[in-house]
Structures are given as C-alpha cells and as structure tokens.
mmCIF file of all heavy atoms in Angstrom:
data_model
loop_
_atom_site.group_PDB
_atom_site.id
_atom_site.type_symbol
_atom_site.label_atom_id
_atom_site.label_comp_id
_atom_site.label_asym_id
_atom_site.label_seq_id
_atom_site.Cartn_x
_atom_site.Cartn_y
_atom_site.Cartn_z
ATOM 1 N N ASP M 23 -108.754 148.931 224.009
ATOM 2 C CA ASP M 23 -109.432 149.291 225.261
ATOM 3 C C ASP M 23 -110.943 149.329 225.058
ATOM 4 O O ASP M 23 -111.707 148.802 225.873
ATOM 5 C CB ASP M 23 -108.946 150.655 225.763
ATOM 6 C CG ASP M 23 -107.460 150.668 226.088
ATOM 7 O OD1 ASP M 23 -106.892 149.585 226.326
ATOM 8 O OD2 ASP M 23 -106.874 151.769 226.097
ATOM 9 N N ALA M 24 -111.383 149.958 223.976
ATOM 10 C CA ALA M 24 -112.817 150.013 223.681
ATOM 11 C C ALA M 24 -113.365 148.632 223.333
ATOM 12 O O ALA M 24 -114.525 148.321 223.616
ATOM 13 C CB ALA M 24 -113.075 150.980 222.534
ATOM 14 N N HIS M 25 -112.526 147.788 222.739
ATOM 15 C CA HIS M 25 -112.941 146.419 222.410
ATOM 16 C C HIS M 25 -113.314 145.658 223.674
ATOM 17 O O HIS M 25 -114.261 144.858 223.679
ATOM 18 C CB HIS M 25 -111.791 145.716 221.686
ATOM 19 C CG HIS M 25 -112.122 144.358 221.167
ATOM 20 N ND1 HIS M 25 -112.021 143.211 221.933
ATOM 21 C CD2 HIS M 25 -112.542 143.932 219.937
ATOM 22 C CE1 HIS M 25 -112.356 142.158 221.215
ATOM 23 N NE2 HIS M 25 -112.684 142.566 219.991
ATOM 24 N N GLU M 26 -112.587 145.892 224.762
ATOM 25 C CA GLU M 26 -112.869 145.205 226.025
ATOM 26 C C GLU M 26 -114.024 145.853 226.782
ATOM 27 O O GLU M 26 -114.522 145.287 227.753
ATOM 28 C CB GLU M 26 -111.613 145.163 226.885
ATOM 29 C CG GLU M 26 -110.489 144.364 226.246
ATOM 30 C CD GLU M 26 -110.965 142.976 225.796
ATOM 31 O OE1 GLU M 26 -111.038 142.064 226.646
ATOM 32 O OE2 GLU M 26 -111.277 142.812 224.589
ATOM 33 N N ASN M 27 -114.453 147.030 226.363
ATOM 34 C CA ASN M 27 -115.637 147.678 226.923
ATOM 35 C C ASN M 27 -116.857 147.219 226.127
ATOM 36 O O ASN M 27 -117.571 148.002 225.512
ATOM 37 C CB ASN M 27 -115.486 149.202 226.857
ATOM 38 C CG ASN M 27 -116.654 149.946 227.451
ATOM 39 O OD1 ASN M 27 -117.422 149.381 228.234
ATOM 40 N ND2 ASN M 27 -116.800 151.200 227.076
ATOM 41 N N ALA M 28 -117.074 145.888 226.123
ATOM 42 C CA ALA M 28 -118.094 145.287 225.269
ATOM 43 C C ALA M 28 -119.383 145.055 226.044
ATOM 44 O O ALA M 28 -119.371 144.832 227.258
ATOM 45 C CB ALA M 28 -117.587 143.968 224.696
ATOM 46 N N SER M 29 -120.486 145.097 225.297
ATOM 47 C CA SER M 29 -121.788 144.963 225.926
ATOM 48 C C SER M 29 -122.806 144.496 224.899
ATOM 49 O O SER M 29 -122.654 144.737 223.696
ATOM 50 C CB SER M 29 -122.232 146.309 226.512
ATOM 51 O OG SER M 29 -123.598 146.301 226.868
ATOM 52 N N GLU M 30 -123.866 143.829 225.389
ATOM 53 C CA GLU M 30 -124.989 143.505 224.513
ATOM 54 C C GLU M 30 -125.659 144.777 223.997
ATOM 55 O O GLU M 30 -126.281 144.773 222.931
ATOM 56 C CB GLU M 30 -126.028 142.678 225.268
ATOM 57 C CG GLU M 30 -125.556 141.305 225.708
ATOM 58 C CD GLU M 30 -126.629 140.571 226.495
ATOM 59 O OE1 GLU M 30 -127.793 140.552 226.019
ATOM 60 O OE2 GLU M 30 -126.317 140.043 227.578
ATOM 61 N N ALA M 31 -125.546 145.860 224.759
ATOM 62 C CA ALA M 31 -126.214 147.110 224.397
ATOM 63 C C ALA M 31 -125.440 147.911 223.356
ATOM 64 O O ALA M 31 -125.938 148.923 222.860
ATOM 65 C CB ALA M 31 -126.420 147.973 225.645
ATOM 66 N N GLY M 32 -124.228 147.486 223.031
ATOM 67 C CA GLY M 32 -123.444 148.226 222.059
ATOM 68 C C GLY M 32 -124.051 148.138 220.670
ATOM 69 O O GLY M 32 -124.487 147.068 220.232
ATOM 70 N N ARG M 33 -124.119 149.262 219.950
ATOM 71 C CA ARG M 33 -124.640 149.321 218.583
ATOM 72 C C ARG M 33 -125.920 148.487 218.452
ATOM 73 O O ARG M 33 -125.928 147.443 217.785
ATOM 74 C CB ARG M 33 -123.575 148.861 217.591
ATOM 75 C CG ARG M 33 -122.408 149.822 217.486
ATOM 76 C CD ARG M 33 -121.317 149.335 216.543
ATOM 77 N NE ARG M 33 -121.762 149.222 215.177
ATOM 78 C CZ ARG M 33 -121.823 150.225 214.293
ATOM 79 N NH1 ARG M 33 -121.473 151.461 214.664
ATOM 80 N NH2 ARG M 33 -122.220 150.018 213.051
ATOM 81 N N PRO M 34 -127.033 148.938 219.051
ATOM 82 C CA PRO M 34 -128.254 148.117 219.085
ATOM 83 C C PRO M 34 -128.863 147.837 217.718
ATOM 84 O O PRO M 34 -129.637 146.895 217.567
ATOM 85 C CB PRO M 34 -129.207 148.959 219.948
ATOM 86 C CG PRO M 34 -128.680 150.357 219.862
ATOM 87 C CD PRO M 34 -127.191 150.216 219.754
ATOM 88 N N HIS M 35 -128.507 148.624 216.707
ATOM 89 C CA HIS M 35 -129.032 148.415 215.368
ATOM 90 C C HIS M 35 -128.258 147.353 214.596
ATOM 91 O O HIS M 35 -128.684 146.921 213.527
ATOM 92 C CB HIS M 35 -128.972 149.731 214.581
ATOM 93 C CG HIS M 35 -127.591 150.297 214.504
ATOM 94 N ND1 HIS M 35 -126.965 150.872 215.591
ATOM 95 C CD2 HIS M 35 -126.703 150.373 213.486
ATOM 96 C CE1 HIS M 35 -125.757 151.282 215.234
ATOM 97 N NE2 HIS M 35 -125.567 150.977 213.969
ATOM 98 N N GLN M 36 -127.102 146.935 215.107
ATOM 99 C CA GLN M 36 -126.206 146.049 214.354
ATOM 100 C C GLN M 36 -126.515 144.588 214.647
ATOM 101 O O GLN M 36 -126.641 144.194 215.806
ATOM 102 C CB GLN M 36 -124.754 146.368 214.726
ATOM 103 C CG GLN M 36 -123.719 145.520 213.996
ATOM 104 C CD GLN M 36 -122.306 145.945 214.331
ATOM 105 O OE1 GLN M 36 -121.921 147.075 214.095
ATOM 106 N NE2 GLN M 36 -121.519 145.035 214.903
ATOM 107 N N ARG M 37 -126.568 143.770 213.592
ATOM 108 C CA ARG M 37 -126.878 142.344 213.723
ATOM 109 C C ARG M 37 -125.602 141.555 213.994
ATOM 110 O O ARG M 37 -124.938 141.078 213.079
ATOM 111 C CB ARG M 37 -127.573 141.827 212.473
ATOM 112 C CG ARG M 37 -128.967 142.389 212.269
ATOM 113 C CD ARG M 37 -129.636 141.779 211.060
ATOM 114 N NE ARG M 37 -129.891 140.347 211.219
ATOM 115 C CZ ARG M 37 -130.439 139.575 210.274
ATOM 116 N NH1 ARG M 37 -130.771 140.106 209.106
ATOM 117 N NH2 ARG M 37 -130.642 138.293 210.488
ATOM 118 N N GLY M 38 -125.247 141.438 215.231
ATOM 119 C CA GLY M 38 -124.108 140.633 215.651
ATOM 120 C C GLY M 38 -122.788 141.359 215.539
ATOM 121 O O GLY M 38 -122.677 142.358 214.853
ATOM 122 N N PRO M 39 -121.815 140.824 216.295
ATOM 123 C CA PRO M 39 -121.878 139.662 217.179
ATOM 124 C C PRO M 39 -122.626 139.973 218.479
ATOM 125 O O PRO M 39 -123.106 141.088 218.661
ATOM 126 C CB PRO M 39 -120.410 139.352 217.448
ATOM 127 C CG PRO M 39 -119.730 140.690 217.354
ATOM 128 C CD PRO M 39 -120.470 141.434 216.269
ATOM 129 N N PHE M 40 -122.690 139.000 219.380
ATOM 130 C CA PHE M 40 -123.505 139.138 220.577
ATOM 131 C C PHE M 40 -123.041 140.313 221.439
ATOM 132 O O PHE M 40 -123.857 141.131 221.884
ATOM 133 C CB PHE M 40 -123.454 137.833 221.377
ATOM 134 C CG PHE M 40 -124.260 137.869 222.643
ATOM 135 C CD1 PHE M 40 -125.647 137.963 222.583
ATOM 136 C CD2 PHE M 40 -123.657 137.797 223.887
ATOM 137 C CE1 PHE M 40 -126.413 137.996 223.751
ATOM 138 C CE2 PHE M 40 -124.403 137.834 225.049
ATOM 139 C CZ PHE M 40 -125.786 137.930 224.982
ATOM 140 N N LEU M 41 -121.754 140.393 221.710
ATOM 141 C CA LEU M 41 -121.180 141.508 222.465
ATOM 142 C C LEU M 41 -120.439 142.429 221.504
ATOM 143 O O LEU M 41 -119.692 141.960 220.648
ATOM 144 C CB LEU M 41 -120.209 141.006 223.541
ATOM 145 C CG LEU M 41 -120.788 140.098 224.623
ATOM 146 C CD1 LEU M 41 -119.679 139.612 225.552
ATOM 147 C CD2 LEU M 41 -121.867 140.818 225.416
ATOM 148 N N LYS M 42 -120.629 143.721 221.678
ATOM 149 C CA LYS M 42 -119.985 144.693 220.784
ATOM 150 C C LYS M 42 -119.268 145.749 221.616
ATOM 151 O O LYS M 42 -119.802 146.248 222.600
ATOM 152 C CB LYS M 42 -121.027 145.342 219.861
ATOM 153 C CG LYS M 42 -121.708 144.335 218.933
ATOM 154 C CD LYS M 42 -122.759 144.972 218.077
ATOM 155 C CE LYS M 42 -124.131 144.964 218.654
ATOM 156 N NZ LYS M 42 -124.718 143.737 219.060
ATOM 157 N N GLY M 43 -118.050 146.057 221.201
ATOM 158 C CA GLY M 43 -117.256 147.052 221.905
ATOM 159 C C GLY M 43 -117.747 148.465 221.654
ATOM 160 O O GLY M 43 -118.746 148.691 220.960
ATOM 161 N N ALA M 44 -117.024 149.420 222.212
ATOM 162 C CA ALA M 44 -117.406 150.830 222.119
ATOM 163 C C ALA M 44 -116.767 151.480 220.898
ATOM 164 O O ALA M 44 -115.793 150.982 220.342
ATOM 165 C CB ALA M 44 -116.982 151.575 223.377
ATOM 166 N N ARG M 45 -117.327 152.604 220.501
ATOM 167 C CA ARG M 45 -116.779 153.342 219.365
ATOM 168 C C ARG M 45 -115.535 154.134 219.767
ATOM 169 O O ARG M 45 -114.534 154.137 219.057
ATOM 170 C CB ARG M 45 -117.834 154.288 218.795
ATOM 171 C CG ARG M 45 -117.340 155.113 217.598
ATOM 172 C CD ARG M 45 -118.424 156.059 217.098
ATOM 173 N NE ARG M 45 -117.979 156.853 215.975
ATOM 174 C CZ ARG M 45 -118.127 156.515 214.703
ATOM 175 N NH1 ARG M 45 -118.697 155.363 214.401
ATOM 176 N NH2 ARG M 45 -117.701 157.294 213.727
ATOM 177 N N THR M 46 -115.615 154.817 220.889
ATOM 178 C CA THR M 46 -114.517 155.702 221.278
ATOM 179 C C THR M 46 -113.524 154.970 222.174
ATOM 180 O O THR M 46 -113.854 153.991 222.854
ATOM 181 C CB THR M 46 -115.038 156.955 221.995
ATOM 182 O OG1 THR M 46 -115.789 156.565 223.152
ATOM 183 C CG2 THR M 46 -115.926 157.766 221.079
ATOM 184 N N SER M 47 -112.307 155.483 222.192
ATOM 185 C CA SER M 47 -111.226 154.872 222.954
ATOM 186 C C SER M 47 -111.364 155.199 224.435
ATOM 187 O O SER M 47 -112.256 155.946 224.856
ATOM 188 C CB SER M 47 -109.882 155.383 222.440
ATOM 189 O OG SER M 47 -109.700 156.741 222.833
ATOM 190 N N ALA M 48 -110.454 154.655 225.242
ATOM 191 C CA ALA M 48 -110.462 154.940 226.679
ATOM 192 C C ALA M 48 -110.199 156.419 226.958
ATOM 193 O O ALA M 48 -110.551 156.915 228.028
ATOM 194 C CB ALA M 48 -109.416 154.082 227.390
ATOM 195 N N GLN M 49 -109.608 157.130 226.003
ATOM 196 C CA GLN M 49 -109.438 158.577 226.128
ATOM 197 C C GLN M 49 -110.696 159.348 225.765
ATOM 198 O O GLN M 49 -110.743 160.561 225.931
ATOM 199 C CB GLN M 49 -108.313 159.069 225.195
ATOM 200 C CG GLN M 49 -106.902 158.792 225.649
ATOM 201 C CD GLN M 49 -105.908 159.220 224.595
ATOM 202 O OE1 GLN M 49 -105.627 158.476 223.662
ATOM 203 N NE2 GLN M 49 -105.369 160.415 224.738
ATOM 204 N N GLY M 50 -111.703 158.646 225.247
ATOM 205 C CA GLY M 50 -112.893 159.315 224.758
ATOM 206 C C GLY M 50 -112.723 159.869 223.363
ATOM 207 O O GLY M 50 -113.461 160.770 222.953
ATOM 208 N N LEU M 51 -111.765 159.316 222.595
ATOM 209 C CA LEU M 51 -111.486 159.796 221.245
ATOM 210 C C LEU M 51 -112.074 158.849 220.208
ATOM 211 O O LEU M 51 -112.069 157.630 220.386
ATOM 212 C CB LEU M 51 -109.971 159.899 221.015
ATOM 213 C CG LEU M 51 -109.190 160.873 221.887
ATOM 214 C CD1 LEU M 51 -107.702 160.779 221.561
ATOM 215 C CD2 LEU M 51 -109.690 162.291 221.699
ATOM 216 N N ASP M 52 -112.545 159.414 219.124
ATOM 217 C CA ASP M 52 -112.852 158.638 217.929
ATOM 218 C C ASP M 52 -111.533 158.488 217.169
ATOM 219 O O ASP M 52 -111.023 159.454 216.603
ATOM 220 C CB ASP M 52 -113.893 159.363 217.076
ATOM 221 C CG ASP M 52 -114.331 158.542 215.864
ATOM 222 O OD1 ASP M 52 -113.538 157.711 215.384
ATOM 223 O OD2 ASP M 52 -115.458 158.756 215.390
ATOM 224 N N LEU M 53 -110.978 157.290 217.177
ATOM 225 C CA LEU M 53 -109.637 157.106 216.598
ATOM 226 C C LEU M 53 -109.615 157.372 215.102
ATOM 227 O O LEU M 53 -108.560 157.712 214.560
ATOM 228 C CB LEU M 53 -109.117 155.696 216.899
ATOM 229 C CG LEU M 53 -108.929 155.346 218.381
ATOM 230 C CD1 LEU M 53 -108.218 154.015 218.513
ATOM 231 C CD2 LEU M 53 -108.170 156.436 219.125
ATOM 232 N N ASN M 54 -110.754 157.225 214.436
ATOM 233 C CA ASN M 54 -110.775 157.554 213.009
ATOM 234 C C ASN M 54 -111.048 159.039 212.771
ATOM 235 O O ASN M 54 -111.551 159.429 211.721
ATOM 236 C CB ASN M 54 -111.793 156.715 212.247
ATOM 237 C CG ASN M 54 -111.496 156.694 210.759
ATOM 238 O OD1 ASN M 54 -110.348 156.832 210.334
ATOM 239 N ND2 ASN M 54 -112.535 156.539 209.941
ATOM 240 N N ARG M 55 -110.701 159.854 213.725
ATOM 241 C CA ARG M 55 -110.644 161.307 213.560
ATOM 242 C C ARG M 55 -109.310 161.838 214.080
ATOM 243 O O ARG M 55 -109.128 163.041 214.227
ATOM 244 C CB ARG M 55 -111.783 162.005 214.333
ATOM 245 C CG ARG M 55 -113.185 161.516 214.024
ATOM 246 C CD ARG M 55 -113.596 161.806 212.599
ATOM 247 N NE ARG M 55 -114.994 161.420 212.369
ATOM 248 C CZ ARG M 55 -115.389 160.209 212.006
ATOM 249 N NH1 ARG M 55 -114.503 159.238 211.826
ATOM 250 N NH2 ARG M 55 -116.672 159.942 211.804
ATOM 251 N N ASP M 56 -108.358 160.931 214.319
ATOM 252 C CA ASP M 56 -107.133 161.309 215.035
ATOM 253 C C ASP M 56 -105.873 161.224 214.192
ATOM 254 O O ASP M 56 -104.770 161.418 214.693
ATOM 255 C CB ASP M 56 -106.975 160.413 216.282
ATOM 256 C CG ASP M 56 -105.915 160.930 217.237
ATOM 257 O OD1 ASP M 56 -105.910 162.144 217.513
ATOM 258 O OD2 ASP M 56 -105.078 160.124 217.688
ATOM 259 N N TYR M 57 -105.993 160.955 212.898
ATOM 260 C CA TYR M 57 -104.785 160.753 212.102
ATOM 261 C C TYR M 57 -103.965 162.030 211.953
ATOM 262 O O TYR M 57 -102.741 161.971 211.865
ATOM 263 C CB TYR M 57 -105.140 160.184 210.730
ATOM 264 C CG TYR M 57 -105.382 158.701 210.761
ATOM 265 C CD1 TYR M 57 -106.597 158.184 211.203
ATOM 266 C CD2 TYR M 57 -104.405 157.795 210.367
ATOM 267 C CE1 TYR M 57 -106.830 156.822 211.237
ATOM 268 C CE2 TYR M 57 -104.624 156.435 210.398
ATOM 269 C CZ TYR M 57 -105.844 155.949 210.839
ATOM 270 O OH TYR M 57 -106.067 154.595 210.883
ATOM 271 N N ALA M 58 -104.588 163.176 211.910
ATOM 272 C CA ALA M 58 -103.828 164.419 211.831
ATOM 273 C C ALA M 58 -103.278 164.816 213.192
ATOM 274 O O ALA M 58 -102.132 165.227 213.328
ATOM 275 C CB ALA M 58 -104.699 165.539 211.259
ATOM 276 N N ARG M 59 -104.090 164.682 214.233
ATOM 277 C CA ARG M 59 -103.703 165.160 215.566
ATOM 278 C C ARG M 59 -102.719 164.235 216.270
ATOM 279 O O ARG M 59 -101.868 164.689 217.022
ATOM 280 C CB ARG M 59 -104.947 165.314 216.448
ATOM 281 C CG ARG M 59 -105.926 166.355 215.960
ATOM 282 C CD ARG M 59 -107.134 166.422 216.882
ATOM 283 N NE ARG M 59 -107.822 165.125 216.972
ATOM 284 C CZ ARG M 59 -108.904 164.918 217.712
ATOM 285 N NH1 ARG M 59 -109.403 165.898 218.443
ATOM 286 N NH2 ARG M 59 -109.483 163.730 217.731
ATOM 287 N N LEU M 60 -102.889 162.925 216.093
ATOM 288 C CA LEU M 60 -102.082 161.915 216.798
ATOM 289 C C LEU M 60 -102.130 162.118 218.307
ATOM 290 O O LEU M 60 -101.118 162.035 218.998
ATOM 291 C CB LEU M 60 -100.622 161.934 216.305
ATOM 292 C CG LEU M 60 -100.391 161.636 214.821
ATOM 293 C CD1 LEU M 60 -98.903 161.544 214.519
ATOM 294 C CD2 LEU M 60 -101.105 160.356 214.391
ATOM 295 N N GLN M 61 -103.324 162.324 218.840
ATOM 296 C CA GLN M 61 -103.472 162.463 220.283
ATOM 297 C C GLN M 61 -103.586 161.117 220.987
ATOM 298 O O GLN M 61 -103.441 161.045 222.204
ATOM 299 C CB GLN M 61 -104.714 163.305 220.597
ATOM 300 C CG GLN M 61 -104.566 164.772 220.201
ATOM 301 C CD GLN M 61 -105.764 165.603 220.600
ATOM 302 O OE1 GLN M 61 -106.890 165.105 220.634
ATOM 303 N NE2 GLN M 61 -105.531 166.854 220.897
#
C-alpha cells in the first residue's frame, strides 16, 4: 500500500529511483516495528 503511495517528494535525500513510496503502511504503522505486536 505504501509502495503505491509514491511521489517524487518521497525521501528527498535519497538518490533514486525517481518515484519513492512511503515509509509507513496504510494503517500508519512502521512495519519494521510490528514484529512483536502483529497489528
């Protein structure tokens, strides 16, 4: 879901690719903080 929320403005410090998705999921979660909770 966050992958499809892509924009040129995503991660402005990162060199490519042209469009970059979002960090957090459609739930507003950082998925790499969810392994214990499984929300």
